Every structure is written in structure tokens, then in C-alpha cells.
mmCIF file of all heavy atoms in Angstrom:
data_model
loop_
_atom_site.group_PDB
_atom_site.id
_atom_site.type_symbol
_atom_site.label_atom_id
_atom_site.label_comp_id
_atom_site.label_asym_id
_atom_site.label_seq_id
_atom_site.Cartn_x
_atom_site.Cartn_y
_atom_site.Cartn_z
ATOM 1 N N VAL A 1 4.503 -38.150 11.334
ATOM 2 C CA VAL A 1 3.297 -37.371 11.063
ATOM 3 C C VAL A 1 3.556 -35.992 11.723
ATOM 4 O O VAL A 1 4.003 -35.899 12.895
ATOM 5 C CB VAL A 1 2.085 -38.071 11.806
ATOM 6 C CG1 VAL A 1 0.889 -37.300 11.624
ATOM 7 C CG2 VAL A 1 1.839 -39.391 11.123
ATOM 8 N N VAL A 2 3.325 -34.902 10.979
ATOM 9 C CA VAL A 2 3.453 -33.636 11.469
ATOM 10 C C VAL A 2 2.211 -32.846 11.358
ATOM 11 O O VAL A 2 1.245 -33.079 10.420
ATOM 12 C CB VAL A 2 4.639 -32.997 10.711
ATOM 13 C CG1 VAL A 2 5.965 -33.668 11.074
ATOM 14 C CG2 VAL A 2 4.404 -32.790 9.308
ATOM 15 N N SER A 3 2.183 -31.660 11.978
ATOM 16 C CA SER A 3 1.067 -30.622 11.738
ATOM 17 C C SER A 3 1.204 -29.965 10.477
ATOM 18 O O SER A 3 2.369 -30.011 9.986
ATOM 19 C CB SER A 3 1.012 -29.617 12.988
ATOM 20 O OG SER A 3 2.173 -28.971 12.954
ATOM 21 N N GLY A 4 0.057 -29.511 9.877
ATOM 22 C CA GLY A 4 0.253 -28.926 8.652
ATOM 23 C C GLY A 4 1.230 -27.683 8.396
ATOM 24 O O GLY A 4 1.888 -27.637 7.539
ATOM 25 N N GLU A 5 1.459 -26.987 9.605
ATOM 26 C CA GLU A 5 2.415 -25.814 9.492
ATOM 27 C C GLU A 5 3.914 -26.271 9.489
ATOM 28 O O GLU A 5 4.715 -25.632 9.182
ATOM 29 C CB GLU A 5 2.035 -24.768 10.543
ATOM 30 C CG GLU A 5 2.078 -25.242 11.971
ATOM 31 C CD GLU A 5 0.866 -25.690 12.402
ATOM 32 O OE1 GLU A 5 -0.148 -25.815 11.670
ATOM 33 O OE2 GLU A 5 0.623 -25.889 13.678
ATOM 34 N N MET A 6 4.057 -27.549 9.980
ATOM 35 C CA MET A 6 5.381 -28.047 10.119
ATOM 36 C C MET A 6 5.820 -28.791 8.773
ATOM 37 O O MET A 6 7.013 -29.232 8.633
ATOM 38 C CB MET A 6 5.580 -29.010 11.238
ATOM 39 C CG MET A 6 5.538 -28.335 12.571
ATOM 40 S SD MET A 6 6.999 -27.355 12.896
ATOM 41 C CE MET A 6 8.275 -28.517 12.681
ATOM 42 N N LEU A 7 4.912 -29.077 7.821
ATOM 43 C CA LEU A 7 5.127 -29.962 6.728
ATOM 44 C C LEU A 7 6.322 -29.478 5.793
ATOM 45 O O LEU A 7 7.215 -30.152 5.613
ATOM 46 C CB LEU A 7 3.803 -29.972 5.865
ATOM 47 C CG LEU A 7 4.026 -30.656 4.515
ATOM 48 C CD1 LEU A 7 4.417 -32.215 4.945
ATOM 49 C CD2 LEU A 7 2.834 -30.764 3.749
ATOM 50 N N GLU A 8 6.257 -28.212 5.336
ATOM 51 C CA GLU A 8 7.485 -27.635 4.522
ATOM 52 C C GLU A 8 8.653 -27.777 5.239
ATOM 53 O O GLU A 8 9.793 -28.213 4.487
ATOM 54 C CB GLU A 8 7.155 -26.241 4.126
ATOM 55 C CG GLU A 8 5.819 -26.200 3.136
ATOM 56 C CD GLU A 8 5.983 -27.048 2.033
ATOM 57 O OE1 GLU A 8 7.098 -27.013 1.175
ATOM 58 O OE2 GLU A 8 5.021 -27.667 1.465
ATOM 59 N N ALA A 9 8.887 -27.375 6.474
ATOM 60 C CA ALA A 9 10.071 -27.397 7.014
ATOM 61 C C ALA A 9 10.667 -28.808 7.247
ATOM 62 O O ALA A 9 11.784 -29.106 7.038
ATOM 63 C CB ALA A 9 10.045 -26.708 8.464
ATOM 64 N N ALA A 10 9.711 -29.829 7.513
ATOM 65 C CA ALA A 10 10.150 -31.152 7.720
ATOM 66 C C ALA A 10 10.597 -31.722 6.421
ATOM 67 O O ALA A 10 11.602 -32.383 6.316
ATOM 68 C CB ALA A 10 8.967 -32.026 8.309
ATOM 69 N N VAL A 11 9.776 -31.530 5.374
ATOM 70 C CA VAL A 11 10.402 -31.957 3.980
ATOM 71 C C VAL A 11 11.596 -31.345 3.555
ATOM 72 O O VAL A 11 12.563 -32.097 3.134
ATOM 73 C CB VAL A 11 9.140 -31.662 2.944
ATOM 74 C CG1 VAL A 11 9.552 -31.894 1.595
ATOM 75 C CG2 VAL A 11 7.916 -32.473 3.246
ATOM 76 N N GLU A 12 11.873 -30.122 3.796
ATOM 77 C CA GLU A 12 13.061 -29.362 3.429
ATOM 78 C C GLU A 12 14.244 -30.109 4.183
ATOM 79 O O GLU A 12 15.360 -30.255 3.717
ATOM 80 C CB GLU A 12 12.953 -27.936 3.558
ATOM 81 C CG GLU A 12 12.231 -27.190 2.825
ATOM 82 C CD GLU A 12 12.906 -27.405 1.205
ATOM 83 O OE1 GLU A 12 13.987 -27.253 1.050
ATOM 84 O OE2 GLU A 12 12.132 -27.585 0.238
ATOM 85 N N ALA A 13 14.022 -30.276 5.575
ATOM 86 C CA ALA A 13 15.042 -30.906 6.309
ATOM 87 C C ALA A 13 15.509 -32.241 5.842
ATOM 88 O O ALA A 13 16.599 -32.649 5.920
ATOM 89 C CB ALA A 13 14.614 -31.019 7.835
ATOM 90 N N ILE A 14 14.423 -33.064 5.451
ATOM 91 C CA ILE A 14 14.650 -34.443 4.916
ATOM 92 C C ILE A 14 15.470 -34.266 3.565
ATOM 93 O O ILE A 14 16.452 -35.030 3.408
ATOM 94 C CB ILE A 14 13.395 -35.291 4.774
ATOM 95 C CG1 ILE A 14 12.689 -35.486 6.118
ATOM 96 C CG2 ILE A 14 13.694 -36.539 4.003
ATOM 97 C CD1 ILE A 14 11.283 -36.034 6.004
ATOM 98 N N ILE A 15 15.041 -33.364 2.816
ATOM 99 C CA ILE A 15 15.771 -33.221 1.411
ATOM 100 C C ILE A 15 17.272 -32.852 1.640
ATOM 101 O O ILE A 15 18.147 -33.544 1.030
ATOM 102 C CB ILE A 15 15.016 -32.278 0.658
ATOM 103 C CG1 ILE A 15 13.626 -32.720 0.111
ATOM 104 C CG2 ILE A 15 15.849 -31.857 -0.684
ATOM 105 C CD1 ILE A 15 12.796 -31.784 -0.707
ATOM 106 N N LYS A 16 17.439 -31.970 2.588
ATOM 107 C CA LYS A 16 18.813 -31.516 2.679
ATOM 108 C C LYS A 16 19.695 -32.611 3.377
ATOM 109 O O LYS A 16 20.812 -32.804 3.075
ATOM 110 C CB LYS A 16 18.907 -30.266 3.653
ATOM 111 C CG LYS A 16 18.447 -28.994 2.997
ATOM 112 C CD LYS A 16 18.485 -27.813 3.926
ATOM 113 C CE LYS A 16 18.060 -26.560 3.117
ATOM 114 N NZ LYS A 16 18.041 -25.472 4.089
ATOM 115 N N ALA A 17 19.146 -33.378 4.358
ATOM 116 C CA ALA A 17 19.870 -34.446 4.964
ATOM 117 C C ALA A 17 20.102 -35.595 4.151
ATOM 118 O O ALA A 17 21.184 -36.284 4.287
ATOM 119 C CB ALA A 17 19.161 -34.772 6.341
ATOM 120 N N ALA A 18 19.126 -35.964 3.382
ATOM 121 C CA ALA A 18 19.250 -37.179 2.550
ATOM 122 C C ALA A 18 19.958 -37.106 1.180
ATOM 123 O O ALA A 18 20.225 -37.974 0.524
ATOM 124 C CB ALA A 18 17.842 -37.788 2.293
ATOM 125 N N HIS A 19 20.111 -35.839 0.791
ATOM 126 C CA HIS A 19 20.694 -35.478 -0.563
ATOM 127 C C HIS A 19 22.195 -35.855 -0.649
ATOM 128 O O HIS A 19 22.964 -35.512 0.027
ATOM 129 C CB HIS A 19 20.538 -34.189 -0.862
ATOM 130 C CG HIS A 19 21.077 -33.657 -2.080
ATOM 131 N ND1 HIS A 19 20.418 -33.906 -3.301
ATOM 132 C CD2 HIS A 19 22.277 -33.079 -2.470
ATOM 133 C CE1 HIS A 19 21.135 -33.522 -4.413
ATOM 134 N NE2 HIS A 19 22.201 -32.983 -3.907
ATOM 135 N N THR A 20 22.564 -36.806 -1.775
ATOM 136 C CA THR A 20 23.872 -36.935 -2.069
ATOM 137 C C THR A 20 24.198 -36.373 -3.388
ATOM 138 O O THR A 20 25.331 -36.315 -3.762
ATOM 139 C CB THR A 20 24.243 -38.492 -1.993
ATOM 140 O OG1 THR A 20 23.446 -39.267 -3.072
ATOM 141 C CG2 THR A 20 23.883 -39.030 -0.579
ATOM 142 N N GLY A 21 23.181 -36.292 -4.312
ATOM 143 C CA GLY A 21 23.317 -35.848 -5.620
ATOM 144 C C GLY A 21 23.520 -37.029 -6.623
ATOM 145 O O GLY A 21 23.741 -36.799 -7.835
ATOM 146 N N LYS A 22 23.488 -38.195 -6.039
ATOM 147 C CA LYS A 22 23.752 -39.410 -6.988
ATOM 148 C C LYS A 22 22.367 -40.157 -7.182
ATOM 149 O O LYS A 22 21.432 -39.948 -6.296
ATOM 150 C CB LYS A 22 24.705 -40.337 -6.302
ATOM 151 C CG LYS A 22 26.047 -39.785 -6.194
ATOM 152 C CD LYS A 22 27.135 -40.804 -5.746
ATOM 153 C CE LYS A 22 28.524 -40.262 -5.832
ATOM 154 N NZ LYS A 22 29.063 -39.823 -4.530
ATOM 155 N N ILE A 23 22.221 -40.950 -8.086
ATOM 156 C CA ILE A 23 21.050 -41.776 -8.368
ATOM 157 C C ILE A 23 20.745 -42.646 -7.018
ATOM 158 O O ILE A 23 21.704 -43.113 -6.536
ATOM 159 C CB ILE A 23 21.164 -42.619 -9.701
ATOM 160 C CG1 ILE A 23 19.803 -43.130 -10.114
ATOM 161 C CG2 ILE A 23 22.237 -43.681 -9.555
ATOM 162 C CD1 ILE A 23 19.815 -43.616 -11.558
ATOM 163 N N GLY A 24 19.502 -42.802 -6.867
ATOM 164 C CA GLY A 24 19.077 -43.639 -5.735
ATOM 165 C C GLY A 24 18.943 -42.788 -4.364
ATOM 166 O O GLY A 24 18.816 -43.454 -3.355
ATOM 167 N N ASP A 25 18.954 -41.502 -4.463
ATOM 168 C CA ASP A 25 18.706 -40.691 -3.302
ATOM 169 C C ASP A 25 17.404 -41.014 -2.520
ATOM 170 O O ASP A 25 17.325 -40.819 -1.372
ATOM 171 C CB ASP A 25 18.788 -39.235 -3.508
ATOM 172 C CG ASP A 25 20.357 -38.677 -3.422
ATOM 173 O OD1 ASP A 25 21.168 -39.566 -2.882
ATOM 174 O OD2 ASP A 25 20.552 -37.548 -3.735
ATOM 175 N N GLY A 26 16.424 -41.316 -3.263
ATOM 176 C CA GLY A 26 15.054 -41.650 -2.772
ATOM 177 C C GLY A 26 13.857 -40.750 -3.120
ATOM 178 O O GLY A 26 14.121 -39.993 -4.059
ATOM 179 N N LYS A 27 12.795 -40.974 -2.401
ATOM 180 C CA LYS A 27 11.564 -40.218 -2.657
ATOM 181 C C LYS A 27 10.870 -39.889 -1.401
ATOM 182 O O LYS A 27 11.064 -40.435 -0.338
ATOM 183 C CB LYS A 27 10.636 -41.009 -3.577
ATOM 184 C CG LYS A 27 11.015 -41.160 -4.950
ATOM 185 C CD LYS A 27 9.887 -41.393 -5.748
ATOM 186 C CE LYS A 27 10.274 -41.363 -7.354
ATOM 187 N NZ LYS A 27 11.264 -42.321 -7.575
ATOM 188 N N ILE A 28 10.217 -38.786 -1.392
ATOM 189 C CA ILE A 28 9.234 -38.361 -0.312
ATOM 190 C C ILE A 28 7.739 -38.434 -0.769
ATOM 191 O O ILE A 28 7.434 -37.832 -1.801
ATOM 192 C CB ILE A 28 9.751 -36.909 0.272
ATOM 193 C CG1 ILE A 28 11.137 -36.901 0.657
ATOM 194 C CG2 ILE A 28 8.775 -36.469 1.357
ATOM 195 C CD1 ILE A 28 11.756 -35.618 1.149
ATOM 196 N N PHE A 29 6.848 -39.054 -0.027
ATOM 197 C CA PHE A 29 5.565 -39.103 -0.280
ATOM 198 C C PHE A 29 4.804 -38.374 0.972
ATOM 199 O O PHE A 29 5.118 -38.600 2.049
ATOM 200 C CB PHE A 29 4.996 -40.470 -0.357
ATOM 201 C CG PHE A 29 5.724 -41.289 -1.190
ATOM 202 C CD1 PHE A 29 6.863 -42.080 -0.899
ATOM 203 C CD2 PHE A 29 5.417 -41.255 -2.706
ATOM 204 C CE1 PHE A 29 7.544 -42.911 -1.864
ATOM 205 C CE2 PHE A 29 6.082 -42.163 -3.607
ATOM 206 C CZ PHE A 29 7.123 -42.894 -3.160
ATOM 207 N N VAL A 30 3.817 -37.588 0.574
ATOM 208 C CA VAL A 30 3.086 -36.788 1.665
ATOM 209 C C VAL A 30 1.673 -37.233 1.427
ATOM 210 O O VAL A 30 1.084 -37.072 0.328
ATOM 211 C CB VAL A 30 3.323 -35.283 1.531
ATOM 212 C CG1 VAL A 30 2.542 -34.517 2.573
ATOM 213 C CG2 VAL A 30 4.714 -34.902 1.573
#
């Protein structure tokens, strides 16, 4: 759980860290 102003940075950080480019990388729900 993050404050509204931290949302975009947190989502971007998760995408960059979890990305492999292969099927099954996952999903993010907000």
C-alpha cells in the first residue's frame, strides 16, 4: 500500500524488476 504520489514510481519499479520478456511475467492490479 502506497500513497497516491508514490503509485507510478512503485508500479514502474515492479515492472522493471519483474520483467523477463517471456510469457508468464505476471500482472499488476491497482
Side-chain angles (χ1 to χ4, degrees):
V1 177
V2 297
S3 60
E5 58 268 8
M6 288 295 296
L7 177 64
E8 290 303 318
V11 168
E12 284 300 315
I14 293 169
I15 290 170
K16 285 181 183 174
H19 178 79
T20 66
K22 297 190 172 103
I23 193 165
D25 271 355
K27 288 206 171 62
I28 297 174
F29 305 94
V30 178

